[in-house]
Amino acid sequence: MDKSKPHRQPDGEQQPTEQQQVGRRLRTARETLGLTQDDVAGALGVPRTSVTAMESGQRNVTALELRRLARLYRRTVHWLLGEEEEGGAVDNALYRATAELSENDKEQVLRFAQFLAAAGSPPTPRKRRSAPAPFGTPIPPIQPPGQQ
């Protein structure tokens, strides 16, 4: 089967080509890091139109470009090729959020993350026994003990 053309499923829906799937992952990785196509073009030494064509699946990505893109996007080549599951998006978001912190602040974030991991999952909230009062309903005053 020709992998450069989308093929139709029995229900008539077009399946994206492998090139288009790789292009989508490239775009997702770039956008996750907040990079522009111009940023990527500069890092690769190619015109921006080449990055656009790669992301749309209209241009093959060379092995060397793929390796450079994986480094730039902090992803594995396997992930870019669709051979590895998603999972790095949260890691990348955490990396970006902490990249500019001082070493002391990074240590505090790490200790907090370890605390959260040790605490386990939060308990499920209990259901209320009665429905809440409608919006705008006055709340009765709280009586001091012994005056109820």
Side-chain angles (χ1 to χ4, degrees), residues 34-103:
L35 298 173
T36 66
Q37 288 183 339
D38 286 324
D39 296 332
V40 175
L44 293 179
V46 299
R48 186 193 55 76
T49 54
S50 291
V51 176
T52 302
M54 283 186 246
E55 290 184 359
S56 67
Q58 297 174 354
R59 176 187 180 280
N60 284 327
V61 183
T62 68
L64 184 58
E65 289 169 336
L66 193 60
R67 188 175 76 194
R68 288 177 179 165
L69 287 164
R71 285 183 187 155
L72 178 65
Y73 295 155
R74 299 180 198 111
R75 301 285 186 141
T76 65
V77 170
H78 292 291
W79 184 87
L80 292 175
L81 293 174
E83 297 171 356
E84 194 175 282
E85 289 298 312
E86 181 72 45
V90 171
D91 293 339
N92 284 332
L94 285 171
Y95 176 81
R96 284 193 323 275
T98 59
E100 301 298 320
L101 295 178
S102 69
E103 288 304 313

